[in-house]
Amino acid sequence: MTDKKSAVYAGVYVLELPLAADRIYDYSVPEHLVGQVRPGTIVKVPFSRGNHSRLAVVVRISPCCEYDKVKPVLAVATDRVSLDEEMLGLCSFIKERTFCTFTDAVHTVAGPVDKIAAGKLRAVAEYSYSITEAGRSASVRGSVRQRILECLREHTSLTKTELKACGASSKQLDELCNAGLLTCHKTELFRNSYERSFAPSQANALSPAQQQAFDELASELDADEARAALLYGITGSGKTRVIKALIDRAVSTGRSVIVLVPEISLTPQTVDLFCSFYGTRVAVLHSSLSPAERFDARRRIESGEVDVVIGTRSAVFAPLKNLGMIVLDEEQEHTYKSDMSPKYHTKDIARYRAAYHKALMLLSSATPSFESFYKAESSSYKLVRLTERYGEAKLPEVIVADRRLDSAEADMSVIGSVLSSEIQKNLDKNEQSILFVNRRGYNNFVSCVMCGEVISCPNCSVSLTLHKKKNSKSGMLMCHYCNHREPLPEKCPSCQSTHLNFKGFGTQLAETELAEKFPKARILRMDADTVSGRSGNEDTTFNHEQILKDFREHKADILLGTQMVTKGHDFPDVTLVGIVNADSALYLDDYRATERAFSLITQVIGRAGRASKPGRAVIQTYNPDNETLLYASKQDYDSFYGSAIKLRRALVFPPFCDFALLTLSSDKENELFAATNELDKRLRELIGKGGEYSNIAATAFRPIEAPVYKVNNIYRMRLVIKCRFTKRCRELISLLLNEFTQKYTSVSLSADINPTNI
Ligand code: ADP
Ligand code: ZN
Ligand code: ZN
């Protein structure tokens, strides 16, 4: 114990503590370490009764301490990466806003590199592991097992060696595989998976409209203070070109730039474009990099070799110095919200970093989120518009195909008469088409005609989806949540009747039907099954990029797929797009359903007629008068927003409030109910009359089951609080979480602010 007078004290977060114990602890700094121990340094400290040596992050240094006796820091952990001032601040920011532990925040900000010593990253892959659908949402006992799952949620796949470096044992990996949470396969990993040869492409001059947008944004970029702007431009208006010109400006004045995209494999063009311009000055960070590749990229960034970082969500943490701009392309995409702990929104992180660096946060979209557009309208963001397509390209003609007319003719096929005849026209002219179907698989569900039984997953409260091999009669029933599979039964499992009914359709059925209707057409299908080949009964194992490349090279006439085909692709020869079932997007049970449907439909339509040939879009629906659909078919965001925002205001929904979602989960249903009731009671006590938090304007809704109540035998209940996410409100949630985690071991509780689904 140190003498109090001459001492220096360090406030630290000890790593790997449970949430309830995760707070700042004070230690004294021994004389020989004064100067070496700084905020951001990783140190070793004695912890708890046994005084076990633990790693900790120093967050503050001070000359005094409120306690009489404190233990001394043992040593500086020299083999660990330390955090700089900005990253340290960011960790506190993340902890405060997402209610994670400080350790989780450090891992998020600094990546797994703080765990893995550099030497181990040189290892070469032999077996690699990836997560199953079940593993995505599962939580398991044991911090190492949980971390294995978390690492694999972040990285598409990791090798055994890499996982072992994170502390995993072969036994734990085998167990997780046996539990169906991981899959193991043999693959080769390339250290520089994104190294390609690029011929620098020639720069094109900006159009007058683009130049105007650029000028307005450039003055935001040049301002010597943090700014935020929204570049709202219709599909094909050339937003990417404007962004590129802004990057040039930032880089020419010695500042660096982060460009974020929703998903790398779906935006190879944007990535290629930037790579071709900036060559070796660019680093690409995406989720399927191995820790080794990530480590290398980080080192290049830290050494100052790199001016431009392109990547997905987590690239927002790229350790660039002197940031000038952070761009979020397609800012409305839900992938910008982290779906695992810590559940941060990339926009908040970008805002934080922009403030630190006095940089510009630039959001770009053809269909901005209401939240962003509202901010742009109410002038906290600068709003810049691009209202016309570049060059000769015109917006496509939209045909709303009323499926009720087909039904009247007893045509129950998936591809109706109008869409069929448009596809035929395109085949005749040798022009390409894209069709969007919202689900994968063959049929959505199988039910019994006699007793009504729907065949559902034994582990989850969802129906099983039928998957079929091409040209095969038999099928496999699959759960899209836990990967459970079983052969299609011949009889109803409950009444033994042989009359089974197949309802709903996915990409496989649409593909089969297309092949029957257009036997000569070359069809490419793209969905989660065609990329992973994981389901075993699939014929294709292409990856996204290969499929997109083949389509671009005219190796197919029709590209058919899920959401993946709707993203920002730029195929000049596509003149027809079809939305096979618009209704599935329009009628979802979420307050943002219409916002998303509008965005989706606009995106799909935006894929057609992007070059000189005019395009058409066919929207199949049973509700041709739906307002959202009509606005989307005119690509009229302004009117759509104008009408929808009024409703939001009247209902006091975001952006006029925030939602805090508390999810309780457990494999024991009784304990889950008891805990839910207790939490509900406690919450009402705190915010109710006379309660400690009665002064915050919060409304608590009654507890309800999660939309999918049971996933992989874990039951889930929800509490929703409508509030303003202020400091006081954060204290309240933090208090609830702390009390809860101390009390319950068999029920877990997590908080998600403004969740993607509610
Ligand atoms: P957005 O991202 O707004 O949908 P893009 O940036 O993909 O639009 O541009 C649409 C198409 O127009 C692309 O093929 C792009 O190469 C082309 N384009 C846009 N602006 C220019 C320009 N100034 N010079 C040459 N081609 C351009
Ligand atoms: Zn039956
Ligand atoms: Zn299941």
Side-chain angles (χ1 to χ4, degrees):
M1 307 295 160
T2 331
D3 169 13
K4 219 181 156 182
K5 279 169 222 142
S6 61
V8 173
Y9 295 92
V12 307
Y13 274 105
V14 175
L15 294 180
E16 313 286 352
L17 288 186
L19 187 62
D22 194 48
R23 53 186 170 81
I24 298 179
Y25 294 91
D26 288 306
Y27 286 88
S28 62
V29 182
E31 213 163 313
H32 71 282
L33 291 180
V34 171
Q36 282 183 61
V37 176
R38 287 185 291 262
T41 313
I42 314 255
V43 293
K44 290 178 183 159
V45 295
F47 191 70
S48 75
R49 285 222 192 101
N51 280 334
H52 302 292
S53 168
R54 300 280 296 253
L55 288 175
V57 183
V58 179
V59 290
R60 63 166 187 235
I61 294 289
S62 59
C64 51
C65 166
E66 59 178 295
Y67 305 105
D68 282 342
K69 284 184 172 175
V70 290
K71 297 172 196 169
V73 169
L74 299 174
V76 171
T78 46
D79 58 336
R80 309 286 158 158
V81 179
S82 63
L83 297 170
D84 65 16
E85 183 196 24
E86 183 195 8
M87 292 301 161
L88 196 60
L90 205 43
C91 287
S92 299
F93 178 81
I94 292 173
K95 176 172 167 59
E96 190 188 325
R97 275 154 203 269
T98 69
F99 313 100
C100 65
T101 62
F102 199 80
T103 308
D104 280 344
V106 171
H107 284 301
T108 305
V109 166
V113 282
D114 71 333
K115 290 226 85 183
I116 308 170
K120 292 194 177 150
L121 287 171
R122 305 290 148 196
V124 176
E126 61 303 36
Y127 280 100
S128 94
Y129 292 82
S130 53
I131 199 142
T132 62
E133 208 65 35
R136 287 205 173 275
S137 53
S139 63
V140 290
R141 287 188 195 286
S143 61
V144 177
R145 288 186 184 80
Q146 190 61 33
R147 185 155 309 286
I148 295 173
L149 290 185
E150 269 155 25
C151 281
L152 284 165
R153 282 174 196 152
E154 171 77 15
H155 306 278
T156 304
S157 66
L158 291 176
T159 66
K160 193 171 207 163
T161 318
E162 286 159 348
L163 285 163
K164 279 190 166 169
C166 296
S169 69
S170 299
K171 187 166 162 271
Q172 286 164 332
L173 291 170
D174 287 348
E175 279 168 15
L176 291 170
C177 286
N178 291 339
L181 303 179
L182 300 186
T183 52
C184 175
H185 39 89
K186 214 170 187 175
T187 17
E188 251 182 291
L189 277 182
F190 301 100
R191 281 292 285 257
N192 287 309
S193 60
Y194 225 89
E195 198 173 277
R196 298 172 176 193
S197 53
F198 291 109
S201 54
Q202 66 278 33
N204 298 81
L206 295 179
S207 70
Q210 291 170 347
Q211 184 67 40
Q212 164 89 28
F214 168 79
D215 289 341
E216 287 179 44
L217 291 166
S219 74
E220 298 295 305
L221 180 66
D222 295 345
D224 192 25
E225 61 177 22
R227 293 281 171 94
L230 172 63
L231 173 58
Y232 157 46
I234 62 166
T235 55
S237 57
K239 295 184 285 297
T240 320
R241 300 296 171 133
V242 175
I243 293 168
K244 198 240 147 211
L246 288 164
I247 299 175
D248 287 344
R249 189 178 184 99
V251 170
S252 72
T253 55
R255 304 180 84 185
S256 57
V257 175
I258 298 175
V259 181
L260 300 167
V261 293
E263 205 173 323
I264 289 274
S265 62
L266 298 178
T267 44
Q269 274 179 291
T270 313
V271 177
D272 284 359
L273 182 83
F274 288 124
C275 287
S276 69
F277 277 117
Y278 303 110
T280 57
R281 312 276 316 163
V282 64
V284 182
L285 289 178
H286 57 96
S287 55
S288 44
L289 291 182
S290 70
E293 292 168 323
R294 194 166 276 262
F295 181 81
D296 285 357
R298 245 186 118 86
R299 279 239 291 247
R300 279 179 60 219
I301 295 168
E302 274 164 343
S303 72
E305 266 176 53
V306 166
D307 305 311
V308 182
V309 169
I310 303 177
T312 42
R313 181 169 81 217
S314 60
V316 74
F317 299 108
L320 285 166
K321 300 277 178 276
N322 200 15
L323 266 177
M325 177 166 74
I326 303 179
V327 181
L328 274 80
D329 193 24
E330 304 288 354
E331 64 91 23
Q332 80 286 356
E333 288 289 337
H334 66 93
T335 48
Y336 286 123
K337 174 81 193 282
S338 168
D339 52 3
M340 57 189 217
S341 173
K343 293 183 174 163
Y344 64 88
H345 199 295
T346 310
K347 225 177 278 175
D348 296 327
I349 309 294
R351 202 68 166 131
Y352 183 98
R353 296 201 71 187
Y356 186 87
H357 290 274
K358 297 185 177 169
L360 169 66
M361 174 175 86
L362 177 61
L363 310 177
S364 156
S365 178
T367 56
S369 65
F370 282 2
E371 190 218 8
S372 297
F373 202 77
Y374 180 72
K375 283 193 177 142
E377 260 201 326
S378 54
S379 77
S380 57
Y381 293 173
K382 166 93 180 171
L383 178 60
V384 176
R385 292 168 188 259
L386 280 173
T387 53
E388 275 163 27
R389 279 197 158 182
Y390 173 76
E392 299 295 295
K394 292 274 164 299
L395 282 172
E397 171 202 356
V398 177
I399 306 162
V400 175
D402 187 349
R403 291 299 325 263
R404 291 174 307 187
L405 303 176
D406 288 325
S407 304
E409 303 273 305
D411 175 1
M412 297 313 285
S413 55
V414 170
I415 315 288
S417 52
V418 176
L419 182 52
S420 293
S421 80
E422 295 300 324
I423 294 174
Q424 190 57 56
K425 280 184 207 161
N426 258 32
L427 290 171
D428 294 344
K429 285 189 289 182
N430 198 18
E431 291 177 6
Q432 290 183 297
S433 312
I434 294 181
L435 299 185
F436 163 66
V437 179
N438 70 312
R439 286 186 70 129
R440 63 192 172 100
Y442 201 86
N443 291 108
N444 295 355
F445 55 93
V446 181
S447 61
C448 169
V449 178
M450 305 311 284
C451 76
E453 167 101 355
V454 173
I455 305 185
S456 19
C457 176
N459 312 319
C460 311
S461 42
V462 291
S463 59
L464 293 173
T465 302
L466 181 64
H467 286 242
K468 268 192 191 178
K469 245 190 196 168
K470 229 183 203 166
N471 308 325
S472 143
K473 282 232 148 40
S474 66
M476 200 45 118
L477 291 174
M478 269 178 63
C479 172
H480 287 181
Y481 284 80
C482 76
N483 245 4
H484 166 86
R485 306 155 97 254
E486 58 184 68
L488 175 66
E490 282 169 10
K491 293 176 187 157
C492 166
S494 105
C495 78
Q496 312 303 319
S497 145
T498 51
H499 298 282
L500 295 178
N501 196 356
F502 300 88
K503 287 203 188 119
F505 62 89
T507 44
Q508 291 181 346
L509 176 54
E511 185 184 23
T512 308
E513 200 185 295
L514 272 178
E516 281 164 14
K517 283 195 166 159
F518 309 102
K520 292 219 183 84
R522 294 163 304 164
I523 304 164
L524 274 175
R525 194 183 97 222
M526 182 159 101
D527 56 34
D529 297 319
T530 59
V531 65
S532 66
R534 206 186 281 151
S535 47
N537 60 347
E538 297 299 331
D539 7 62
T540 39
T541 49
F542 289 123
N543 63 30
H544 295 156
E545 248 181 84
Q546 188 61 43
I547 295 175
L548 295 173
K549 188 163 167 278
D550 286 352
F551 191 58
R552 184 176 310 285
E553 289 169 2
H554 265 269
K555 290 186 184 155
D557 306 301
I558 302 173
L559 173 65
L560 161 87
T562 51
Q563 298 253 357
M564 298 171 183
V565 303
T566 69
K567 303 302 167 192
H569 314 302
D570 187 25
F571 297 111
D573 297 331
V574 170
T575 53
L576 172 68
V577 295
I579 297 177
V580 175
N581 180 9
D583 302 335
S584 61
L586 291 169
Y587 299 99
L588 286 175
D589 192 14
D590 186 307
Y591 75 95
R592 264 170 308 196
T594 54
E595 185 181 339
R596 288 208 193 116
F598 180 87
S599 172
L600 180 78
I601 295 170
T602 309
Q603 292 282 342
V604 183
I605 296 174
R607 295 313 109 218
R610 291 172 68 87
S612 50
K613 292 181 209 147
R616 283 121 55 228
V618 176
I619 306 178
Q620 297 199 129
T621 177
Y622 284 91
N623 302 276
D625 304 322
N626 179 284
E627 197 184 49
T628 306
L629 202 153
L630 294 177
Y631 283 134
S633 54
K634 282 187 272 176
Q635 304 247 319
D636 186 357
Y637 178 85
D638 285 82
S639 305
F640 170 66
Y641 170 83
S643 110
I645 200 80
K646 274 193 208 127
L647 188 65
R648 294 277 183 95
R649 193 192 296 270
L651 296 172
V652 195
F653 270 10
F656 304 100
C657 78
D658 295 296
F659 279 123
L661 169 67
L662 302 177
T663 304
L664 300 94
S665 54
S666 176
D667 54 353
K668 301 184 184 68
E669 219 174 347
N670 288 343
E671 292 182 32
L672 178 66
F673 283 143
T676 305
N677 284 335
E678 196 147 329
L679 182 67
D680 182 49
K681 218 174 100 198
R682 179 73 178 129
L683 171 62
R684 284 170 200 285
E685 184 181 296
L686 286 166
I687 62 174
K689 242 192 188 144
E692 211 180 310
Y693 290 86
S694 57
N695 60 339
I696 64 170
T699 315
F701 296 106
R702 291 279 161 210
I704 44 161
E705 292 178 358
V708 179
Y709 174 49
K710 184 176 75 161
V711 172
N712 217 21
N713 293 313
I714 304 285
Y715 304 88
R716 303 165 322 158
M717 293 292 295
R718 288 177 152 191
L719 280 178
V720 174
I721 311 169
K722 191 157 133 179
C723 55
R724 270 282 169 204
F725 194 49
T726 56
K727 193 154 192 285
R728 244 344 241 156
C729 179
R730 292 197 278 276
E731 280 168 24
L732 166 70
I733 295 169
S734 202
L735 175 74
L736 289 170
L737 279 163
N738 278 340
E739 286 181 358
F740 193 96
T741 47
Q742 278 174 45
K743 190 159 174 186
Y744 293 96
T745 47
S746 59
V747 184
S748 54
L749 175 64
S750 67
D752 188 355
I753 308 306
N754 295 325
T756 326
N757 291 301
I758 199 160

